[in-house]
Amino acid sequence: MNRLKSICIAIGLSVLAGQATAARNCATPANVNVMAQEIANGINANRRANGQPAIRYNQRLSQAAMTHACDMAANGFFGHNGSNGSDVNRRVRNAGYQGCLVAENLAWGYPSSQQIISGWMQSPGHRSNMLHPRVAEFGVGITQGPRGPNWVLVLAKGC
């Protein structure tokens, strides 16, 4: 991923983390931007290694991911359904993204992004989401929960 994209991801996550922290009183790890960039690099490295094109960062998808990561941290749960009953499709729509294909990977407690990528690649469902041939964009949300970081990856293709 080129330097400009790295800067855009960092700025986007910093803005989203600030909004989420103010709105929901959730905390992000001190190195959240580095962690998110490592997730992006890991996804695209695995896609290339498996014959799929790289996917690009989308701020609206990150907004949906951060919303869910904050919800899990603030309300002490782990799962794909939000505390308000929302699912990933609703969170993505609420963030202003019109998705024809939407998938979500979650993880918690792992201290490093490399462990997350490795774990997701070893899980058939998560791997399928990350390597889906029609996925074109991603967003990531990372918050600090009581058992370590909450990781939310949203993958999508717009309509």
Side-chain angles (χ1 to χ4, degrees), residues 24 60-72 77 79-98 102-106 152-154:
R24 306 196 101 203
R60 291 180 192 264
L61 295 176
S62 277
Q63 181 181 347
M66 273 306 281
T67 295
H68 194 52
C70 285
D71 185 24
M72 289 191 298
F77 73 94
H80 290 282
N81 290 325
S83 63
N84 63 357
S86 66
D87 64 11
V88 66
N89 291 302
R90 183 167 138 198
R91 290 188 293 273
V92 165
R93 278 192 312 273
N94 288 347
Y97 186 93
Q98 184 65 33
V102 178
E104 180 179 68
N105 287 1
L106 304 178
V152 180
L153 173 66
V154 177

Side-chain angles (χ1 to χ4, degrees), residues 55-135:
I55 58 178
R56 65 188 173 280
Y57 171 80
N58 181 286
Q59 188 167 352
R60 291 180 192 264
L61 295 176
S62 277
Q63 181 181 347
M66 273 306 281
T67 295
H68 194 52
C70 285
D71 185 24
M72 289 191 298
N75 293 297
F77 73 94
F78 179 79
H80 290 282
N81 290 325
S83 63
N84 63 357
S86 66
D87 64 11
V88 66
N89 291 302
R90 183 167 138 198
R91 290 188 293 273
V92 165
R93 278 192 312 273
N94 288 347
Y97 186 93
Q98 184 65 33
C100 285
L101 171 68
V102 178
E104 180 179 68
N105 287 1
L106 304 178
W108 63 268
Y110 292 89
S112 80
S113 50
Q114 292 85 2
Q115 289 174 317
I116 297 301
I117 293 294
S118 177
W120 283 337
M121 287 301 291
Q122 292 175 30
S123 162
H126 294 105
R127 178 185 175 90
S128 177
N129 288 346
M130 289 174 39
L131 299 180
H132 196 290
R134 290 182 32 226
V135 165

Side-chain angles (χ1 to χ4, degrees), residues 11-79:
I11 291 170
L13 281 173
S14 293
V15 169
L16 291 172
Q19 290 172 348
T21 300
R24 306 196 101 203
N25 196 24
C26 71
T28 57
N31 61 339
V32 67
N33 292 326
V34 171
M35 295 165 92
Q37 185 60 55
E38 290 170 351
I39 291 290
N41 293 342
I43 292 166
N44 282 324
N46 278 287
R47 286 183 64 83
R48 283 188 298 275
N50 286 277
Q52 297 299 326
I55 58 178
R56 65 188 173 280
Y57 171 80
N58 181 286
Q59 188 167 352
R60 291 180 192 264
L61 295 176
S62 277
Q63 181 181 347
M66 273 306 281
T67 295
H68 194 52
C70 285
D71 185 24
M72 289 191 298
N75 293 297
F77 73 94
F78 179 79

